[in-house]
Amino acid sequence: MGIGEQGLWLALIIGNSRWHWGAFEGDRWLGSWHTLHLTEAQTDQLQQSRFALSAWQQLGIETVLPSNPGDGGQEHQELWMASVVNTPAAWLVSSAHVHPIATKQVPLQNTYPTLGVDRALALVGAGDRWGWPVLVIDCGTALTFTAGADQRLIGGAILPGLRSQFRALPAHTDQLPALEFDPDVWPQRWATNTSEAMVSGILHTQLAGIRDFVVAWEADWPSGAVVLTGGDSAAIYRYLAKQTPTLAQRINHDPDLGFWGLRVCRQQKLEKPSAIGL
């Protein structure tokens, strides 16, 4: 598979809730966009056009792709992708310009077989962008803590994310209402009605858990970085800044860690063609 060092290329991370897309020109970041899970027909349409801007426009999806890329055209784009969902990934891997990445292909030591590729990429991306050692807190469908040093996994933890907790309570109880997570609402701790009590319980305990993991991390790795990422990371960062400003000052917010991880994988392939089994 040919890899162009300076051309336009795309990155895709297929998550549980959404597809996350990013665009690079060589090593230069152009930006990201997000879609709901695409259908096989939509995926095929994009793939047949080599992800050209016109195909995205036909689907009504706004992207950051330039109208006149400097490499002479968008029909020769590479796609570097990782997925935590099996079926959509199978739709994409048949083309020669698609480079699928699994956990074992991420340049990270001390991993285990069931480690999610999204966590591995985010950790490597954080190490590349913010330096090692680093703790990644991914605020998505699941809230995950993933720590590493010297491009080696230390370990981590997984629990339900904010929106998953909001969905779980009405799904497993008879009387509790279905609520939508509102990132602009700051709940009072001692609520006086059921809905507000649910919001208070979910948000305050999630923030307490994050603070606890950060404090434990800083005790073990005083010089280590902490980075928030994921779909709800901006809201979580605002909440932390409101509740514990001194802690928030020690935390970095970077929603694009997975893309930096895919960039590391691509760069490794450019430097050592045999390093990634593609």
Side-chain angles (χ1 to χ4, degrees):
M1 303 179 191
I3 301 176
E5 187 165 357
Q6 295 303 320
L8 189 69
W9 62 278
L10 301 185
L12 167 63
I13 297 177
I14 299 177
N16 289 297
S17 302
R18 295 188 297 171
W19 292 21
H20 309 282
W21 302 84
F24 292 85
E25 189 166 19
D27 200 42
R28 184 169 68 91
W29 175 241
L30 300 180
S32 64
W33 65 99
H34 310 275
T35 67
L36 297 176
H37 282 235
L38 301 183
T39 66
E40 185 172 4
Q42 290 172 319
T43 304
D44 188 58
Q45 181 177 341
L46 289 172
Q47 193 166 217
Q48 287 189 18
S49 73
R50 297 285 184 90
F51 302 93
L53 178 60
S54 58
W56 291 98
Q57 292 171 335
Q58 289 172 10
L59 292 174
I61 297 173
E62 293 186 8
T63 75
V64 300
L65 294 175
S67 299
N68 298 294
D71 64 357
Q74 294 183 23
E75 289 75 19
H76 304 288
Q77 293 171 9
E78 307 160 27
L79 175 69
W80 289 71
M81 61 160 288
S83 178
V84 300
V85 183
N86 290 328
T87 301
W91 300 341
L92 286 161
V93 298
S94 59
S95 296
H97 63 283
V98 175
H99 302 263
I101 296 295
T103 301
K104 64 182 180 180
Q105 295 161 325
V106 179
L108 181 66
Q109 299 177 5
N110 197 40
T111 61
Y112 51 90
T114 58
L115 177 68
V117 65
D118 54 338
R119 294 178 65 198
L121 286 171
L123 183 59
V124 167
D128 183 66
R129 176 72 175 81
W130 298 97
W132 302 94
V134 62
L135 169 66
V136 173
I137 305 172
D138 193 331
C139 309
T141 304
L143 176 65
T144 64
F145 300 87
T146 312
D150 300 322
Q151 216 146 339
R152 174 180 57 83
L153 175 70
I154 294 173
I158 303 173
L159 68 153
L162 280 176
R163 297 174 197 270
S164 297
Q165 291 191 49
F166 275 103
R167 289 192 293 267
L169 280 174
H172 297 285
T173 62
D174 186 57
Q175 298 294 323
L176 293 181
L179 300 176
E180 290 293 330
F181 168 61
D182 186 344
D184 296 321
V185 171
W186 175 258
Q188 59 176 334
R189 186 181 294 272
W190 309 113
T192 56
N193 63 67
T194 298
S195 295
E196 291 180 2
M198 291 168 63
V199 176
S200 174
I202 292 170
L203 181 58
H204 284 294
T205 55
Q206 187 134 121
L207 293 176
I210 290 172
R211 289 197 304 272
D212 181 73
F213 270 87
V214 171
V215 170
W217 168 253
E218 291 179 336
D220 290 339
W221 302 88
S223 63
V226 180
V227 189
L228 277 179
T229 196
D232 290 327
S233 57
I236 290 292
Y237 187 81
R238 290 198 304 272
Y239 291 143
L240 286 170
K242 182 179 180 67
Q243 193 177 66
T244 319
T246 55
L247 178 70
Q249 291 172 3
R250 305 197 300 273
I251 296 176
N252 306 289
H253 177 229
D254 189 337
D256 300 313
L257 292 183
F259 297 130
W260 308 149
L262 283 172
R263 184 177 62 179
V264 169
C265 292
R266 181 178 183 271
Q267 189 60 41
Q268 178 177 271
K269 178 65 175 179
L270 286 168
E271 295 174 353
K272 301 176 181 178
S274 62
I276 298 178
L278 298 174

